[in-house]
Amino acid sequence: MVRTFNTHKIRKQQELTGSLWEFTPCQGEKKGNRYQVATPCCWENHPEFTSYRGEGEYSRTFMAEGTIRLEFKGVSHTATVFLDGKEIASHYNAYTIFSVIVKDLPKGEHTLTVRADNRFSEDSALHVPNDYMSYGGLSRPVVLENIEDIYISYVHVTPYQEEKKWKAKVEVCLENIKDKELCVCVKAELAGKTIVWENTKILGNTKILVNAVEEFEEVQTWTPKQPNLYTVNISLIQEDQVIDDLIERFGFREVKVEGKDILLNEEKLKIRGVCRHEDHPQFGCALPYEAMAADLELIKHLGANSVRTSHYPNDERFLDLCDEQGILIWEENHARGLSEEDMRNKNFESQAEQVIEEMILAHYNHPSIYIWGILNECASDSEYGKECYQKQFELIKCLDSSRPHSFASCKFKTDISFGLPDVVSYNIYPLWYHDTEPEEYLDDLYQWVQKETEGSKKPFMITEIGAGGIYGYRNPYHAKWTEEYQAETLEKQIRAVCSYPDCIGVYIWQFCDTRVSDEWFHVRPRTMNNKGIVDEFRRPKLCYEIVKKLFETMSVE
Ligand code: ADA
């Protein structure tokens, strides 16, 4: 499955994953061996490649002719794509979508080969040895499409209220892949209204944008409690024939920052969330739809209303599930804990900005995403770092002015970048990395933000708080790493944060235990991040019930 709803009725689409592909490693003692593997997948989940760091090739054949478009939802972490032995595309970063068009394919059987590379090197500024795993593989779906001379590249819908009326801006991007000018009629149907752009001319080999604003009566809004979704159907008509289409989903909801609050449809948000890595002992980062849905059941059962996609854009099927179930999403570009030196890597800015562009292009319409985040715990305490944050926030504002933006800082009373975000967010670990009481630590930090930074008067949120607990490890003196210590600590932390008047929300670090890079073994028992409220097999720890009770009491406040 590629999305939880059908995105085309006219355009012919076929998922190429969801089947056996041939896998062969390009290095190591198994180099050249051939394996039949089910896809999507990470090679770390194959018994012979559990810690393989190198390149691996996935290939399969398919029948096609004419002009095709191949869309790769995620290849971890660097991809080189070959069709019939000829390189046709390359892409860096495991967590964003890329596509390629191949014209005039002769009718018959073709061979697609995707070479994935999960090695660390100076070329990779974002995938570095870290407190999470950079897997290797064909980790998200691959889709084959047949397209005509002009096709719909994307549609973005921006709902908003004006004088108590719901309106929406509809923006459609078309691409002409032929060398000559073409003319087409574009139609958008949404929420009972139809918008038509007649005689739309597109020069050869160019893209154009058409847009319009429409007003709507009697809409069913999207809110966490009542997540009503609408579809927008775009059709391209040429000589009275529909030659292409695209179906997307959106919700009538508006997110605003007002003083120290974030409002969704005029309601103040009170975030009670969890940070979640895409990580699983059987699937690596290539979680199947059912596993994502099962995670979300546990998160909802906990009484959480939000998930932070720490620390990268997520699989769109997870976002689809959150749209359908009213779970709010803080989605962020890919970065974790990069120092100023790391941020001075020659590729850092272009790679980080590319993730922002690809994340917003693909995820723009998801009503569940209420905020864009960037650069988790990077060098926001340095002048150079601040410049990078500034450039990335400007890029976000240019791509999407309809959502607030923020970054999660760990620079305790040394951050110099709070003039930039709409929302001030901190990751804190009182009673874990230091023995300060949570109330004292939080108040000390919050007062500093108000008195010493440009972040005063902005909404303030805790984007990480938690403690380690190893599943099944208990002892009478509740040492650190016992489930008892984790439960007691989380109780104190959550009470402190949720009773702090000017804190609008909390994300627990983290939903489940996750694999980390081998290089982190010395600070991570089991070479895992053990701060999950469930373990890697999603078995609830002692703290799960305590967090559940706290989140439920919070919801009545
Ligand atoms: C940081 C970081 C997380 C994780 C956490 C921890 O806040 O953002 O990715 O590493 O610390 O477990 O210490």
Side-chain angles (χ1 to χ4, degrees), residues 130-132 277 308 310-311 336-337 376-377 408 410 427-429 432-433 464 509-510 520 524 529-531:
N130 219 324
D131 194 18
Y132 62 93
H277 267 299
R308 175 172 171 239
S310 49
H311 299 290
R336 181 211 166 276
N376 174 73
E377 297 197 351
C410 66
N427 301 340
I428 60 173
Y429 287 89
W432 184 254
Y433 288 121
E464 286 180 28
W509 183 271
Q510 62 171 331
W520 275 63
R524 292 285 181 264
N529 184 301
N530 298 283
K531 298 189 183 70

Side-chain angles (χ1 to χ4, degrees), residues 64-350:
E65 68 172 310
T67 303
I68 64 166
R69 178 174 177 272
L70 290 162
E71 184 166 285
F72 303 84
K73 303 290 187 179
V75 177
S76 193
H77 64 61
T78 297
T80 310
V81 180
F82 303 87
L83 186 63
D84 301 329
K86 183 168 161 284
E87 183 176 331
I88 57 169
S90 60
H91 182 266
Y92 173 78
N93 207 290
Y95 309 112
T96 49
I97 295 171
F98 66 101
S99 61
V100 60
I101 288 170
V102 180
K103 301 182 199 174
D104 311 324
L105 211 55
K107 182 174 180 171
E109 185 177 79
H110 300 277
T111 302
L112 174 64
T113 299
V114 181
R115 182 184 301 156
D117 183 352
N118 73 347
R119 292 173 296 185
F120 298 132
S121 77
E122 270 308 294
D123 296 339
S124 171
L126 308 175
H127 286 282
V128 298
N130 219 324
D131 194 18
Y132 62 93
M133 183 70 180
S134 276
Y135 289 94
L138 199 55
S139 40
R140 293 183 187 165
V142 177
V143 180
L144 164 68
E145 298 178 340
N146 294 91
I147 57 169
E148 304 300 326
D149 299 346
I150 298 184
Y151 76 100
I152 304 156
S153 178
Y154 67 81
V155 55
H156 285 167
V157 181
T158 314
Y160 62 95
Q161 282 199 300
E162 203 168 67
E163 288 134 29
K164 295 285 172 219
K165 283 197 173 321
W166 275 104
K167 297 188 174 183
K169 178 183 170 192
V170 180
E171 182 177 66
V172 185
C173 179
L174 314 173
E175 183 171 3
N176 174 358
I177 59 174
K178 284 298 176 193
D179 301 336
K180 60 183 181 4
E181 180 182 273
L182 294 170
C183 182
V184 68
C185 167
V186 190
K187 185 164 73 167
E189 294 161 286
L190 67 158
K193 294 289 180 91
T194 299
I195 307 170
V196 180
W197 296 270
E198 296 283 4
N199 299 323
T200 307
K201 289 187 175 47
I202 312 171
L203 293 175
N205 298 311
T206 55
K207 282 186 178 181
I208 63 157
L209 284 178
V210 293
N211 62 59
V213 172
E214 188 55 70
E215 192 170 294
F216 301 86
E217 297 73 34
E218 308 297 310
V219 298
Q220 305 287 313
T221 56
W222 189 95
T223 65
K225 287 194 176 54
Q226 293 195 305
N228 294 298
L229 289 169
Y230 285 79
T231 57
V232 55
N233 291 39
I234 307 294
S235 314
L236 286 193
I237 301 130
Q238 212 171 35
E239 286 134 33
D240 295 331
Q241 195 196 354
V242 181
I243 60 167
D244 192 30
D245 72 335
L246 175 60
I247 302 163
E248 263 286 355
R249 275 190 329 199
F250 69 98
F252 284 100
R253 68 101 183 87
E254 206 176 12
V255 184
K256 282 185 195 158
V257 168
E258 225 162 65
K260 295 195 174 185
D261 291 305
I262 301 176
L263 307 180
L264 186 140
N265 288 357
E266 307 306 321
E267 289 275 306
K268 289 182 182 179
L269 287 186
K270 186 97 178 129
I271 297 293
R272 48 192 190 284
V274 293
C275 295
R276 175 178 175 271
H277 267 299
E278 292 179 328
D279 191 280
H280 196 283
Q282 289 170 292
F283 309 111
C285 65
L287 278 78
Y289 167 77
E290 293 78 359
M292 298 178 205
D295 279 358
L296 216 41
E297 286 307 329
L298 276 171
I299 291 166
K300 288 189 308 179
H301 181 66
L302 189 65
N305 65 358
S306 186
V307 174
R308 175 172 171 239
T309 69
S310 49
H311 299 290
Y312 36 74
N314 269 202
D315 188 307
E316 49 192 359
R317 293 167 295 175
F318 184 73
L319 303 176
D320 287 344
L321 281 164
C322 292
D323 292 341
E324 292 160 2
Q325 302 182 71
I327 297 293
L328 295 162
I329 291 282
W330 161 311
E331 186 162 63
E332 60 187 31
N333 76 340
H334 176 209
R336 181 211 166 276
L338 301 178
S339 66
E340 179 177 345
E341 187 197 353
D342 297 329
M343 292 174 78
R344 287 181 183 279
N345 174 301
K346 63 186 184 325
N347 294 326
F348 167 76
E349 288 197 277
S350 59

Side-chain angles (χ1 to χ4, degrees), residues 389-549:
Y389 276 83
Q390 176 152 14
K391 275 187 226 168
Q392 292 187 30
F393 282 133
E394 271 151 23
L395 176 60
I396 288 179
K397 279 184 277 193
C398 156
L399 294 170
D400 177 5
S401 57
S402 73
R403 291 176 171 94
H405 47 74
S406 183
F407 71 95
S409 172
C410 66
K411 308 304 179 191
F412 182 70
K413 302 209 278 193
T414 58
D415 205 298
I416 60 170
S417 302
F418 289 138
L420 302 172
D422 294 320
V423 176
V424 172
S425 309
Y426 255 105
N427 301 340
I428 60 173
Y429 287 89
L431 298 180
W432 184 254
Y433 288 121
H434 47 80
D435 288 335
T436 326
E437 285 303 317
E439 296 81 355
E440 174 198 339
Y441 190 81
L442 176 59
D443 189 48
D444 183 13
L445 177 63
Y446 182 76
Q447 297 310 332
W448 174 79
V449 170
Q450 301 314 304
K451 295 188 183 93
E452 307 296 333
T453 78
E454 299 164 276
S456 63
K457 302 190 187 53
K458 292 183 180 179
F460 179 89
M461 184 188 312
I462 294 298
T463 24
E464 286 180 28
I465 196 162
I470 293 179
Y471 185 85
Y473 174 47
R474 304 196 180 166
N475 69 27
Y477 53 97
H478 300 185
K480 280 187 177 175
W481 294 118
T482 56
E483 286 192 56
E484 291 98 340
Y485 186 87
Q486 182 188 33
E488 289 152 11
T489 302
L490 266 168
E491 173 144 23
K492 290 175 192 164
Q493 292 171 333
I494 295 172
R495 283 191 188 286
V497 174
C498 298
S499 57
Y500 199 83
D502 281 343
C503 182
I504 63 161
V506 63
Y507 285 96
I508 293 172
W509 183 271
Q510 62 171 331
F511 167 63
C512 69
D513 292 348
T514 53
R515 184 172 174 181
V516 302
S517 300
D518 295 348
E519 294 82 351
W520 275 63
F521 76 95
H522 56 312
V523 285
R524 292 285 181 264
R526 310 191 300 146
T527 315
M528 299 280 288
N529 184 301
N530 298 283
K531 298 189 183 70
I533 52 177
V534 301
D535 78 348
E536 62 271 31
F537 298 100
R538 277 66 175 171
R539 298 178 296 183
K541 300 177 188 173
L542 265 184
C543 62
Y544 182 93
E545 285 304 325
I546 287 170
V547 172
K548 180 170 164 34
K549 275 198 194 68

